Amino acid sequence: MQHLRLRPFPPLLPPGRVLADFCQTYPPQEAQRLLWQLALPVFLDSFETQDAAHTNQLIAFYEGLELLLQAVHHTRQGGGETGPPPTAEAP
């Protein structure tokens, strides 16, 4: 497996700006589609090479990210914490 070098974190921007930029660049369906495309190869590899506990951990993390994406978009669209919950769509 090839190891990737991650670039260092950029200076911290205001969180509202980061969220607004992200939501503008990646609408909800596009963000969910790209997250699935990112996760699918990892899941397939994990099923073949990792134990069930590790695979379950990856799946739980993916599901958490998916909920986070929904919450970010919902909040940015003015739903706030008291608005109706976002609806999940299959990848």
Side-chain angles (χ1 to χ4, degrees):
M1 179 175 168
Q2 181 181 357
H3 293 281
L4 300 176
R5 284 192 168 170
L6 300 177
R7 58 188 163 123
F9 283 114
L12 183 62
L13 298 172
R17 178 176 165 201
V18 172
L19 294 174
D21 289 351
F22 180 87
C23 290
Q24 183 177 7
T25 304
Y26 305 103
Q29 292 79 14
E30 178 70 1
Q32 189 174 25
R33 185 185 68 78
L34 290 170
L35 179 60
W36 180 245
Q37 285 183 344
L38 180 68
L40 184 60
V42 173
F43 291 154
L44 294 176
D45 182 58
S46 182
F47 291 136
E48 294 177 5
T49 62
Q50 302 292 323
D51 61 28
H54 185 257
T55 299
N56 288 337
Q57 184 181 26
L58 290 174
I59 291 169
F61 184 73
Y62 170 82
E63 290 172 345
L65 285 177
E66 197 172 38
L67 289 173
L68 181 62
L69 280 173
Q70 290 176 10
V72 165
H73 280 283
H74 181 69
T75 301
R76 295 296 308 165
Q77 293 171 355
E81 290 185 30
T82 59
T87 56
E89 295 181 22

